[in-house]
Amino acid sequence: MRGFIEMLTVHDFVDITENKLGKPVEDVVKMAKRHNNPKRDFLFVNTLLGKHIAVSGVEAIKMHQSLGDEVYQLFLRKGWVDKKVLIVGFAETATALAQSLMYYALRQKEKFPLNIVAYVQTTREKIAKNDFINISFEEEHSHATTQKLYFDPNLDYDVVLFVEDEITTGNTILNFITQFEKYQSGKQYAVASILNWQNDVDEQKFVEKGVETAYLVRGKIKEELPQFSISEGYTLDLFNKDAQYELELSATNNPRLPMTMSEFEKYEYFGNIEGKILKKFLAVRPSKPKVLVIGTEENMFLPTVLASMLNGDVKATTRSPIEPSFEDDYPISFRTVLNSAYEGGRTTYLYNMEFGDMRKYRQFVLFIEEENEAFEKMMYEYLAPYGEVVIVKQKGLLEDGK
C-alpha cells in the first residue's frame, strides 16, 4: 500500500488513453479514499465539478460546455443533429453537468444547436404527488444505491442522452435502459461523461446495445488496484441527532420531474435577471469579496450559475463519505459532518472548509432550494464567524423576478 510518503494518483488506477481536458488529467482528477465502502475503496475527485472541492463557477461551466462540444461532434458523426433529444442527468454529482448542457443549448444555440425537447434527472428525494411514472433502479458502487426517475411516457423524442460525471462499467446506464424499455422502446441512446473508464468487455456491452459515448477523458481501470494507507485528517461533527424533519419537494419548477425546454428556461430564469432583484443582491456584497456559493446535494447547477455571475467559487454539500487526510497531494484534508438540507436524519458533508475555505473566503452565499429553518440556522452559525453569510432562496428569486 502506498501513501504517507508518495500519494496515489489517477495513473495508479487507470491507464489513460485519451485526454481532451486541455490540461494533465492528474491536475483535474484526484484520488481519495471512500469511508467504509466495501464495494469500492477509492473515489475519483474531480476538481472542476464543484462538488467536493470549491471551483470557479466560470471554470466549472467551461468544462461542462467542453463536454457539450464533444456531444455535438458525436451527434454530427451519427447524423443525429436534427433528432429530438431527451437529456437524463444522474444524481447527485452529475446534476449540474446535465443541466448545464440544457443551459448551453438555450443560451448558445449557435455552438450547441441540438434539438433538445426535454430534461429530467434521477433523484433520491421525495417529490410531492405527481402524475409521472416512477422508475427505480440501482447504481453500482454508490453509497446510496437506489435512484428514482420520474418518467413521462407521452414525451416525443428519438434519442436519450444520459449525462454522468464518470462511467466505470456502464452498468448503471444499462440498468436504467432495461427499466426504461418496459415503457418505451425503439429509441437510440448516448452517454456523455467527463470520465469513461470502461474496459473492453463493458465497452462491448454498449456496442451490442447501440449505446454511443462522448467523453473528455478515456481510460481503463487496471485489473490490480492499489489501496490507500493514509494518515487521519480532521473531522468536525456538527450533526444533530435530535433533528427531525423530512422535506417533500415541490412538484412545480423542479428538474427532478420532466421539463420541456421552455419549462427549464423558467427554472434557470433567475440567472438572466438584469433588473432590481439581481442588483439588490449584488449590492449586499463587500467590495471585491472572495465569494463561495454553497449548494445542497442534488441542487448544484443554479449555485454554479450564480457563482459565475458573482465571479466567485462554488461547491455543494454531498452524501458522499470520504476519508480526510493531511498528507501532501491528498485532495480532502477536512470533513464537516452536517444534517442534510432535506432530511434531518441524513448525514451530509462539506469538505476542506476548516482552515481552508473558511480562511479563504470573505462571503458565503448559501443557496437554498427548499426553505428549512433548522438547516439554515446550522449553516449560518457555522459560517458566520468567518465572513458575511447571505442566504439566497431560489423560490424567492423566481417569484420576485417575474
Side-chain angles (χ1 to χ4, degrees):
M1 293 190 287
R2 252 166 65 196
F4 295 111
I5 298 173
E6 186 179 3
M7 189 49 55
L8 294 165
T9 74
V10 63
H11 299 289
D12 293 304
F13 293 83
V14 182
D15 291 316
I16 305 295
T17 56
E18 289 183 79
N19 175 16
K20 305 173 186 178
L21 288 168
K23 58 188 69 178
V25 177
E26 61 271 20
D27 289 351
V28 176
V29 182
K30 305 293 185 180
M31 302 308 303
K33 181 178 176 63
R34 292 172 182 260
H35 177 71
N36 289 338
N37 190 326
K39 295 180 181 179
R40 191 167 75 175
D41 184 58
F42 59 91
L43 180 76
F44 298 99
V45 175
N46 190 315
T47 62
L48 296 180
L49 273 179
K51 172 53 75 174
H52 307 98
I53 295 174
V55 64
S56 158
V58 171
E59 290 302 312
I61 290 175
K62 282 182 180 178
M63 184 186 65
H64 300 165
Q65 293 181 346
S66 293
L67 182 60
D69 294 339
E70 291 299 319
V71 170
Y72 182 54
Q73 291 303 314
L74 169 64
F75 275 51
L76 279 175
R77 292 194 299 271
K78 297 298 296 182
W80 289 356
V81 172
D82 295 325
K83 288 184 177 290
K84 291 171 284 192
V85 182
L86 168 65
I87 289 184
V88 177
F90 281 86
E92 74 179 21
T93 310
T95 53
L97 180 62
Q99 290 181 37
S100 201
L101 295 187
M102 290 288 286
Y103 188 76
Y104 197 18
L106 276 167
R107 302 299 160 203
Q108 298 190 46
K109 293 180 181 179
E110 72 285 356
K111 293 184 179 179
F112 195 54
L114 297 191
N115 184 17
I116 299 172
V117 296
Y119 172 88
V120 68
Q121 67 191 44
T122 69
T123 183
R124 298 184 179 100
E125 304 298 343
K126 290 189 175 181
I127 313 295
K129 185 177 179 181
N130 60 82
D131 296 327
F132 299 109
I133 296 171
N134 182 350
I135 299 176
S136 296
F137 62 101
E138 297 298 309
E139 181 180 16
E140 294 196 349
H141 305 306
S142 176
H143 50 277
T145 57
T146 301
Q147 294 217 45
K148 298 173 288 187
L149 185 129
Y150 290 92
F151 174 61
D152 181 358
N154 297 314
L155 282 173
D156 180 22
Y157 57 90
D158 307 305
V159 181
V160 181
L161 174 64
F162 301 106
V163 182
E164 267 281 32
D165 57 309
E166 170 202 336
I167 297 176
T168 304
T169 63
N171 287 339
T172 298
I173 301 296
L174 295 175
N175 289 343
F176 174 77
I177 291 175
T178 297
Q179 295 298 318
F180 187 79
E181 290 188 336
K182 293 178 181 178
Y183 303 94
Q184 284 192 350
S185 59
K187 306 300 181 182
Q188 293 168 304
Y189 300 102
V191 182
S193 61
I194 303 298
L195 313 175
N196 184 323
W197 302 146
Q198 287 181 300
N199 61 26
D200 293 341
V201 173
D202 294 320
E203 184 179 21
Q204 183 59 32
K205 291 179 183 178
F206 268 27
V207 171
E208 292 171 358
K209 193 65 180 178
V211 181
E212 302 290 338
T213 58
Y215 48 80
L216 293 180
V217 179
R218 184 72 172 95
K220 296 180 181 180
I221 298 282
K222 295 183 177 182
E223 291 186 7
E224 294 188 11
L225 299 174
Q227 291 183 312
F228 281 102
S229 176
I230 56 174
S231 60
E232 188 176 352
Y234 177 74
T235 295
L236 174 65
D237 192 347
L238 299 180
F239 188 85
N240 178 4
K241 295 180 181 178
D242 297 324
Q244 295 183 2
Y245 56 83
E246 187 172 6
L247 303 187
E248 183 180 73
L249 303 189
S250 171
T252 303
N253 202 49
N254 189 335
R256 299 172 184 86
L257 299 178
M259 281 184 166
T260 63
M261 285 292 277
S262 60
E263 289 169 337
F264 185 86
E265 187 171 21
K266 179 182 178 183
Y267 169 70
E268 58 83 33
Y269 175 71
F270 88 92
N272 296 282
I273 296 173
E274 297 179 356
K276 62 180 181 179
I277 302 304
L278 179 56
K279 289 179 180 178
K280 182 179 179 181
F281 176 72
L282 293 175
V284 305
R285 300 172 60 203
S287 60
K288 298 182 180 179
K290 186 66 176 175
V291 181
L292 176 64
V293 181
I294 300 175
T296 53
E297 300 175 52
E298 296 174 2
N299 189 41
M300 294 174 60
F301 171 68
L302 294 184
T304 302
V305 174
L306 184 58
S308 70
M309 294 165 58
L310 300 175
N311 196 29
D313 293 348
V314 63
K315 71 191 308 181
T317 61
T318 176
R319 296 174 67 164
S320 177
I322 300 173
E323 294 283 2
S325 174
F326 288 127
E327 292 185 41
D328 291 343
D329 299 325
Y330 187 77
I332 304 294
S333 300
F334 312 102
R335 176 175 61 191
T336 308
V337 185
L338 304 162
N339 299 83
S340 170
Y342 303 91
E343 183 180 351
R346 181 195 305 169
T347 301
T348 58
Y349 306 90
L350 271 174
Y351 293 105
N352 289 356
M353 296 296 287
E354 288 70 37
F355 314 116
D357 292 347
M358 293 297 221
R359 309 290 183 181
K360 182 178 179 181
Y361 300 99
R362 295 293 175 265
Q363 186 181 51
F364 301 95
V365 178
L366 181 61
F367 195 100
I368 297 296
E369 181 180 19
E370 294 280 347
E371 293 192 33
N372 181 335
E373 184 176 343
F375 178 78
E376 293 171 34
K377 182 175 184 292
M378 174 184 63
M379 291 297 293
Y380 184 88
E381 292 176 350
Y382 177 42
L383 299 169
Y386 298 91
E388 182 183 12
V389 180
V390 177
I391 297 178
V392 174
K393 301 186 179 183
Q394 178 179 327
K395 290 184 177 179
L397 280 173
L398 263 176
E399 290 165 4
D400 292 342
K402 287 181 179 178

